[in-house]
Amino acid sequence: MEKEQIPHMPEREKLTTEQQIRRRTLNAFAWFGLASLLPVGIWKALTAKPLEGGVPTALRSILDVNETIASTYFSNQHLAPTFAVSEAAKQVRVNGAAGLGGKFDPATWQLAISQPGKALTLSLDEIKALPKYDLVFDFKCVEGWSQVQHWAGARLADLVAKYQVGTRTGQQPTGEADFFKHVGMETPDKGYYVGLDIASALHPQTLLAYEMNGEALTAPHGAPLRLIVPVKYGVKNMKRISMITFADDRPRDYWAERGYDYYLGL
Amino acid sequence: MKRIVENKHPLAIRWFHWVNFPVLALMIWSGLLIYWAYHPYKIQVAGYTLVTFFPSGFFKALNVPFRLAEGMSWHFALMWLFTLNGILYVVYTFISGEWRYLLPKRNSVREAWQVVLHDLGIRKEPLPVEKYNAAQRIAYTSIIVMGLGSLLTGLAIYKPTQFWWLTTLMGGYETARLIHFALTIGYVLFFVIHVAQVVKAGWTNFRSMIAGFDVVDEQA
């Protein structure tokens, strides 16, 4: 059977091309419109309630994935760059006084350490008896500014080793898995509190600092004892620590409750 | 007479382009929310401040203040899409051979100047017919290099301890943040010129970025 021959007429052909262009344009824009529902859908999913610590649940779970990824390349071998003491700021920036309110007597201060099945208290002298380390590093605020600062104190890792805390057995650790997953810290008035993953807490540059620029800490900087943790933003560098708790569940965290990422690792 | 030219822009490239558009827009928006929390940058000449990044009215008009946490959440979620899309685009252009139209050639810098003069209406001679002219080649290659720059400076300020070597390579923490910011201003300038050029080039050109095909007028 012979196929019907379309007459080869220039006008007809032109019309067909025009029609084709029209049809294909409409087609493409329809698909484009349909595809643009994709970002709308993603936006809806990421902003969907409920909120978890001020952040939509989906967005919060991405932050948690980021933490899992970050913990794969986190290493105690990765150190924050250090500087000469002369490079440290003389006027050390004070940024936040949450948890420093209320009546507080440094003379009667003690550090309470607890974990399931174990509790002890330490005096400042007992902490000062641990090896002292100086650290001059670029302190980084979550706001974006940074400042080279000079701190000194004891390694949290040394305290953990000496007093045999942080492990589930309450003994010397036999391996990394022995440790509780998190450390929580609180101020005496419980007005400020942070949670850290155990790896960051035991990082060799993580200090329980009692000196700044070679002198005893002042009250605005967190006297008598504060945390210096270079692998975290400033908000985790808690001032006036009165309680340290080891646990597997994430301890509460002041800024994570206010919409920030819990991990905040650098 | 009109003729349809198939596949001026391959489907993959159209996807990469249109995925990048909302992702980059949201990266810039969330970046602005982050930048607000510490916004020291300005351009000064001989003691006079020419531009402040940004005046408080600008921040307020865009509802930026006090949204740092929100900005960080978005920025560190969408960074994956931005990076993935960018990597796929580069890989695709190399595998498909599209890079031949996109990379600058030896004489591109000189030709690009002619394109600029032409586009400003100063030079009247028609430009050589090419899929992308010299100025486009430079622009579309630069924007990818800028994207890589944003990724690297971004990582440098995201993990300055874990990737301390990268932070050092990027000139240090503060320099990396400045470059990261400057690149963003670059995207905004790119966007303005890009949209102006698209408007100038007309409907057929714009349609080809959505439908893929081009339409050319042919001499009978």
Side-chain angles (χ1 to χ4, degrees):
Chain A
M1 215 168 87
E2 259 182 63
K3 278 183 184 167
E4 193 189 346
Q5 291 287 315
I6 299 162
H8 228 71
M9 289 161 70
E11 314 85 58
R12 179 81 176 266
E13 203 167 54
K14 191 182 171 196
L15 204 71
T16 321
T17 310
E18 288 286 5
Q19 278 177 335
Q20 244 183 36
I21 292 169
R22 201 179 134 73
R23 204 194 60 225
R24 289 179 60 178
T25 302
L26 283 172
N27 210 343
F29 275 79
W31 278 110
F32 189 75
L34 208 61
S36 61
L37 293 177
L38 198 68
V40 174
I42 293 173
W43 174 270
K44 284 239 158 89
L46 287 180
T47 52
K49 296 203 159 115
L51 300 180
E52 192 186 325
V55 180
T57 319
L59 219 43
R60 180 67 85 183
S61 59
I62 295 175
L63 295 181
D64 291 342
V65 170
N66 287 352
E67 172 175 346
T68 308
I69 293 167
S71 64
T72 62
Y73 56 75
F74 179 94
S75 165
N76 277 352
Q77 312 298 317
H78 298 158
L79 301 178
T82 53
F83 299 80
V85 171
S86 59
E87 290 174 85
K90 300 288 169 285
Q91 294 294 316
V92 179
R93 192 162 168 170
V94 178
N95 210 64
L100 301 186
K103 284 205 174 97
F104 176 68
D105 180 13
T108 59
W109 176 90
Q110 277 194 312
L111 179 65
I113 301 172
S114 69
Q115 65 182 59
K118 191 165 184 174
L120 63 147
T121 55
L122 296 176
S123 69
L124 192 56
D125 284 338
E126 283 171 304
I127 290 159
K128 284 182 175 173
L130 291 161
K132 181 181 167 186
Y133 290 90
D134 280 76
L135 182 68
V136 186
F137 79 108
D138 194 32
F139 183 98
K140 294 173 183 72
C141 179
V142 71
E143 292 169 3
W145 54 267
S146 63
Q147 188 181 45
V148 175
Q149 300 174 350
H150 177 198
W151 303 90
R155 283 179 179 167
L156 181 54
D158 287 346
L159 183 147
V160 162
K162 178 167 181 189
Y163 292 96
Q164 302 192 355
V165 287
T167 52
R168 289 194 184 82
T169 52
Q171 311 279 321
Q172 288 291 352
T174 51
E176 268 182 48
D178 243 13
F179 286 102
F180 287 104
K181 288 186 186 132
H182 292 96
V183 186
M185 300 191 183
E186 308 216 345
T187 57
D189 67 354
K190 307 204 180 301
Y192 198 76
Y193 34 90
V194 300
L196 299 168
D197 50 287
I198 193 76
S200 298
L202 299 182
H203 187 272
Q205 289 177 314
T206 300
L207 300 182
L208 293 168
Y210 43 79
E211 275 183 16
M212 184 186 82
N213 284 339
E215 287 172 32
L217 278 189
T218 57
H221 284 294
L225 192 72
R226 72 168 297 171
L227 186 69
I228 289 296
V229 51
V231 293
K232 299 286 184 192
Y233 280 115
V235 287
K236 297 276 190 187
N237 291 245
M238 212 191 80
K239 297 168 179 175
R240 200 189 279 178
I241 308 166
S242 84
M243 199 167 73
I244 298 180
T245 322
F246 294 90
D248 277 325
D249 292 331
R250 271 182 173 179
R252 62 184 191 143
D253 186 275
Y254 186 88
W255 286 108
E257 288 173 359
R258 286 159 178 78
Y260 285 83
D261 172 30
Y262 188 95
Y263 187 66
L264 288 181
L266 295 172
Chain B
M1 198 160 74
K2 282 182 177 169
R3 186 168 66 85
I4 294 176
V5 179
E6 297 296 338
N7 245 7
K8 181 190 177 190
H9 297 301
L11 181 63
I13 290 212
R14 282 177 274 149
W15 267 102
F16 296 134
H17 175 274
W18 290 112
V19 166
N20 190 60
F21 174 58
V23 171
L24 184 57
L26 288 174
M27 283 304 271
I28 293 173
W29 165 73
S30 56
L32 192 62
L33 299 186
I34 296 170
Y35 173 69
W36 171 84
Y38 176 57
H39 51 272
Y41 304 142
K42 52 190 162 210
I43 298 173
Q44 279 180 319
V45 175
Y48 289 97
T49 301
L50 295 181
V51 193
T52 313
F53 299 105
F54 295 97
S56 58
F58 173 86
F59 285 127
K60 278 195 194 116
L62 294 179
N63 189 26
V64 168
F66 300 105
R67 295 173 75 180
L68 167 63
E70 192 183 352
M72 290 175 77
S73 301
W74 280 100
H75 215 66
F76 300 141
L78 291 173
M79 64 179 187
W80 296 109
L81 268 180
F82 175 77
T83 306
L84 187 70
N85 193 54
I87 290 172
L88 289 178
Y89 171 78
V90 171
V91 168
Y92 176 80
T93 50
F94 274 89
I95 291 176
S96 67
E98 283 288 312
W99 62 271
R100 287 189 190 88
Y101 309 112
L102 288 158
L103 282 182
K105 293 185 288 191
R106 206 175 304 141
N107 52 358
S108 283
V109 174
R110 188 161 41 83
E111 276 183 33
W113 180 241
Q114 290 168 359
V115 174
V116 171
L117 293 179
H118 175 89
D119 287 352
L120 293 174
I122 297 165
R123 195 174 183 272
K124 295 296 174 205
E125 295 95 282
L127 296 168
V129 179
E130 260 195 304
K131 180 166 181 178
Y132 296 123
N133 66 41
Q136 285 176 298
R137 284 173 181 265
I138 290 174
Y140 299 156
T141 300
S142 306
I143 206 77
I144 296 306
V145 175
M146 287 165 67
L148 180 66
S150 289
L151 173 63
L152 294 179
T153 53
L155 278 173
I157 46 184
Y158 179 53
K159 298 288 171 191
T161 301
Q162 301 312 314
F163 305 142
W164 63 270
W165 48 272
L166 181 64
T167 312
T168 308
L169 205 65
M170 295 293 123
Y173 187 71
E174 283 177 15
T175 305
R177 190 178 192 256
L178 177 63
I179 297 171
H180 199 72
F181 178 83
L183 287 170
T184 310
I185 298 296
Y187 296 135
V188 175
L189 295 177
F190 180 97
F191 177 77
V192 170
I193 296 169
H194 186 60
V195 170
Q197 292 281 31
V198 168
V199 169
K200 190 164 155 274
W203 168 250
T204 306
N205 174 69
F206 176 70
R207 176 179 53 201
S208 67
M209 202 59 209
I210 289 174
F213 66 87
D214 199 6
V215 176
V216 290
D217 275 317
E218 276 192 341
Q219 311 292 326

